[in-house]
Amino acid sequence: MAGIDKRIAVLVSWSKTGDRKQRTKPGRDAFLARFEREVDPEGVLPVEERRRRAELAKRAYMLRLAKRSAQVRKKG
């Protein structure tokens, strides 16, 4: 029963959110920061180059996830 209550609370919360993009910005920023640290652990690259490489690393990560998902669905 707790699971359904949590889902209800989440939906109510999102229904009261005016700017969904702003609400999720901290999480998206933290996720991208992970890839920025991966591609430039010493922090020596210019900001724009680090961001560009981080976006590419994130895309590769997402493609690996999609590939694994497809493989699991194919087996299932």
Side-chain angles (χ1 to χ4, degrees):
M1 188 73 144
I4 193 81
D5 291 336
K6 184 174 182 176
R7 288 178 61 193
I8 291 168
V10 167
L11 291 171
V12 168
S13 175
W14 277 111
S15 74
K16 295 177 181 180
T17 299
D19 188 347
R20 296 171 65 95
K21 193 170 185 176
Q22 186 61 35
R23 180 171 170 183
T24 59
K25 187 177 184 333
R28 287 182 285 115
D29 288 347
F31 190 54
L32 186 59
R34 165 195 171 174
F35 296 103
E36 288 182 357
R37 288 188 302 273
E38 180 182 304
V39 300
D40 188 21
E42 303 299 320
V44 296
L45 292 173
V47 175
E48 289 300 317
E49 180 63 15
R50 181 171 48 250
R51 178 63 52 108
R52 185 186 71 76
R53 291 182 188 194
E55 289 289 350
L56 293 170
K58 183 176 77 171
R59 287 176 58 193
Y61 173 83
M62 293 300 190
L63 283 173
R64 285 192 293 272
L65 284 180
K67 180 181 176 183
R68 279 188 247 149
S69 176
Q71 289 169 338
V72 168
R73 285 193 313 274
K74 187 175 180 179
K75 288 180 184 178

